[in-house]
Amino acid sequence: MPRAPEARKKMYVLDTNVLIHDPNALLNFEEHDVIIPMTVLEELDSLKSGKQAVAADCRQAIRNIDKLLGDATPKEIEKGVPIVRGKKAEPLGKLLILMSTQHVNSHSLPEHLNDNKIINTLAALQNEHRARDIILVSKDINMRLKARGFGVEAQDYHNDQLLDDIDLLPKGYREFPNSFWDTIEKVETIQREGITEHILRREGELARLNINEFVIDQQGFVGKVSDLSESQIVIRDLHQHDLMNEEVWGLVPRDIYQALALNLLLDPDVHLVNLTGSAGSGKTILALAACIEMTVASKLYKRIIATRSTQGLDEDIGFLPGTEAEKMEPWLGAIVDNLEALHEDDENMTASVDYILSKVPLHFKSMNYIRGRSFQHSLIIIDESQNLTPHQIKTIITRAGNGSKVICLGNLAQIDTPYLSALSSGLTYMTERFKSFRHGAHIHLQGVPRSVLAEFAEANL
């Protein structure tokens, strides 16, 4: 890709939330200049202390800025320090620290807010460099609106956004009307060790399939992509009756989508499973049932680690009496609720749940204390993972040690974290990034109403 001439190079001014969202954002603007206002450095400094996830990201961002600036003098920093991305790589773009300036004219925003200070500084910079494109990059939509209203160009940070439309996110299966085989001209079928596989040419709709995705049709055929190349695709023939009657810790799937999810959850060769879907689609109860089955019955794994992403978990879990598990229990009530649902037909449900909690190696962990750890032969359930940034979810997934499996659960329609959207969510990022990973898979579950009331509310509210 040819580099832009000096006059056409853009100047990107980063807001604090961009560096918190992605501490490596400085390196993602190619040959263009990156500017950090002094106000942003002050905000990073005020947020860097503590054990919160935000504090850790602030510290990482500060370290990255320090590494890029190196031993540069104040005059060199004012002119811009070349951004070096590797020892042998040629520098691309410059990093500048922008001092806040005094605004004596009336055309400025009141400076009692840091956002206003940044916008005023950008407006002054724009007057100074009229030949350059100066763009504010912020995850805060209101900050972007204020900047545009003040005459400063602003945009969202899109570097870790792999999709332009959430509808393009893979569902994990492709549905064919009528019969799937009506669309196939040539097939080679191989049977071995009780497994039937179909070798097809990878063309048309089949060219869009990824490894571990499913093919289903209205005639009851279910197939799973077990291998593929540029020209061929191998689909393993699965029996819908067997899938629908698979019982896991007393749980039987209620529709074909839950059956596909269980197939992936129980597959020892799939190390990362992402389950998305609306409330009531069965994400948590399927994951929990499969995890108990694989730890208690088949003993494929030694323990279950359950954690959940919420804004509250970014705060310290507190100094009041109680273990980490006891403090985490209110946040992970969904896990206990689903344990009760799995044993609601028992003679004494409470006793059954207490027995399971005492016998099953189920650990409730705060996300603050997952950093730096390595979990061996563990099943790691991350609930509400749509509220994680790509950087945060990568940090957690890399904690999976030898023989471990990660299960990410989330509803992309219910994002509660500021500055995150469905497109920039870590769950979306990992689903799209891992779609070609041989040991990863994703299923979007359809809504299965929990009650007549829930069904009516879903349709009418």
Side-chain angles (χ1 to χ4, degrees):
M1 179 176 160
R3 296 184 198 173
E6 189 68 30
R8 293 303 301 257
K9 288 183 180 179
K10 299 176 182 178
M11 303 175 78
Y12 287 101
V13 182
L14 305 191
D15 195 7
T16 311
N17 49 61
V18 173
L19 293 170
I20 294 174
H21 180 84
D22 181 6
N24 297 315
L26 296 164
L27 306 175
N28 295 329
F29 292 89
E30 299 178 343
E31 74 271 21
H32 305 289
D33 293 342
V34 177
I35 298 175
I36 310 288
M38 187 62 71
T39 306
V40 169
L41 286 180
E42 291 171 354
E43 288 187 335
L44 289 175
D45 185 60
S46 65
L47 294 170
K48 71 181 181 182
S49 301
K51 297 180 181 179
Q52 304 96 324
V54 169
D57 291 333
C58 286
R59 292 192 293 270
Q60 183 61 50
I62 292 169
R63 285 193 292 267
N64 290 344
I65 295 171
D66 179 64
K67 182 179 178 181
L68 289 175
L69 293 179
D71 298 326
T73 64
K75 287 187 177 181
E76 290 172 336
I77 294 174
E78 187 178 353
K79 292 180 180 179
V81 177
I83 299 176
V84 181
R85 292 165 175 80
K87 291 183 179 179
K88 297 182 180 180
E90 186 179 348
L92 280 178
K94 296 178 182 178
L95 173 64
L96 300 85
I97 305 297
L98 183 63
M99 291 294 296
S100 299
T101 55
Q102 295 294 325
H103 308 283
V104 294
N105 59 6
S106 59
H107 186 60
S108 62
L109 295 172
E111 297 211 343
H112 64 290
L113 298 174
N114 283 341
D115 286 358
N116 292 357
K117 291 180 182 178
I118 294 172
I119 293 172
N120 286 337
T121 302
L122 261 66
L125 187 68
Q126 204 170 48
N127 290 330
E128 186 179 343
H129 300 276
R130 294 183 180 274
R132 301 284 297 274
D133 292 331
I134 299 171
I135 303 167
L136 170 66
V137 183
S138 175
K139 298 298 296 179
D140 185 348
I141 187 170
N142 196 59
M143 172 75 157
R144 299 198 301 268
L145 290 173
K146 288 171 66 176
R148 289 171 186 160
F150 197 65
V152 175
E153 186 177 349
Q155 67 182 41
D156 196 357
Y157 177 69
H158 293 297
N159 186 264
D160 52 9
Q161 184 174 304
L162 303 180
L163 296 172
D164 296 323
D165 188 342
I166 198 64
D167 291 334
L168 299 175
L169 191 70
K171 292 184 176 181
Y173 48 83
R174 196 164 292 270
E175 299 180 86
F176 288 81
N178 299 318
S179 174
F180 164 71
W181 298 107
D182 291 343
T183 64
I184 305 300
E185 295 180 0
K186 185 179 179 181
V187 59
E188 179 184 349
T189 301
I190 299 175
Q191 290 186 332
R192 52 182 175 80
E193 300 176 358
I195 296 174
T196 301
E197 291 184 327
H198 308 288
I199 303 175
L200 312 168
R201 282 189 297 186
R202 196 179 181 193
E203 58 186 9
E205 286 289 312
L206 298 184
R208 302 176 187 175
L209 288 171
N210 301 301
I211 195 74
N212 293 324
E213 280 195 322
F214 294 90
V215 171
I216 55 180
D217 67 14
Q218 293 178 345
Q219 303 298 319
F221 173 73
V222 181
K224 180 181 180 182
V225 179
S226 58
D227 200 4
L228 50 78
S229 64
E230 289 186 5
S231 59
Q232 288 185 330
I233 185 168
V234 180
I235 295 181
R236 180 173 298 173
D237 201 330
L238 304 176
H239 298 287
Q240 183 169 341
H241 179 270
D242 295 339
L243 289 171
M244 292 299 297
N245 288 278
E246 177 84 54
E247 185 173 334
V248 180
W249 204 253
L251 183 72
V252 178
R254 296 179 61 179
D255 60 21
I256 186 60
Y257 310 106
Q258 290 190 356
L260 301 181
L262 273 181
N263 179 271
L264 294 174
L265 290 167
L266 297 172
D267 190 339
D269 292 326
V270 178
H271 306 318
L272 173 68
V273 179
N274 294 332
L275 297 184
T276 59
S278 60
S281 55
K283 303 181 295 294
T284 306
I285 197 167
L286 288 169
L288 188 60
C291 288
I292 295 175
E293 182 77 18
M294 290 186 288
T295 51
V296 176
S298 60
K299 299 189 182 300
L300 291 173
Y301 300 91
K302 293 182 178 179
R303 59 182 172 174
I304 304 168
I305 307 294
T307 189
R308 178 176 179 173
S309 169
T310 70
Q311 284 181 261
L313 284 184
D314 284 342
E315 306 300 328
D316 199 294
I317 61 174
F319 299 98
L320 293 174
T323 64
E324 179 187 1
E326 289 170 340
K327 293 176 181 181
M328 287 298 298
E329 203 167 315
W331 295 109
L332 292 163
I335 301 293
V336 178
D337 291 344
N338 282 282
L339 267 178
E340 293 176 352
L342 287 171
H343 294 274
E344 63 183 357
D345 294 329
D346 292 3
E347 186 175 344
N348 189 332
M349 181 188 68
T350 304
S352 296
V353 171
D354 291 341
Y355 175 80
I356 291 297
L357 288 173
S358 65
K359 293 297 181 183
V360 174
L362 175 59
H363 306 285
F364 294 163
K365 295 292 180 184
S366 167
M367 288 178 60
N368 295 333
Y369 300 100
I370 286 181
R371 286 177 181 267
R373 299 189 63 178
S374 181
F375 299 108
Q376 311 292 330
H377 304 287
S378 303
L379 289 159
I380 305 171
I381 301 175
I382 309 173
D383 202 8
E384 302 291 341
S385 57
Q386 77 273 7
N387 288 318
L388 291 170
T389 67
H391 175 70
Q392 289 170 333
I393 205 166
K394 283 187 285 186
T395 300
I396 297 171
I397 287 178
T398 53
R399 298 303 94 214
N402 185 43
S404 289
K405 184 169 189 163
V406 178
I407 302 167
C408 299
L409 313 174
N411 180 5
L412 291 169
Q414 291 184 343
I415 294 180
D416 306 313
T417 304
Y419 315 134
L420 268 188
S421 66
L423 288 171
S424 61
S425 167
L427 181 58
T428 302
Y429 180 88
M430 297 305 292
T431 299
E432 179 66 16
R433 183 67 79 187
F434 277 77
K435 67 182 181 182
S436 59
F437 178 49
R438 181 166 292 275
H439 302 288
H442 165 67
I443 288 290
H444 178 72
L445 296 167
Q446 305 293 328
V448 180
R450 288 179 274 198
S451 66
V452 176
L453 173 61
E455 185 175 10
F456 181 83
E458 190 74 27
N460 297 281
L461 295 183

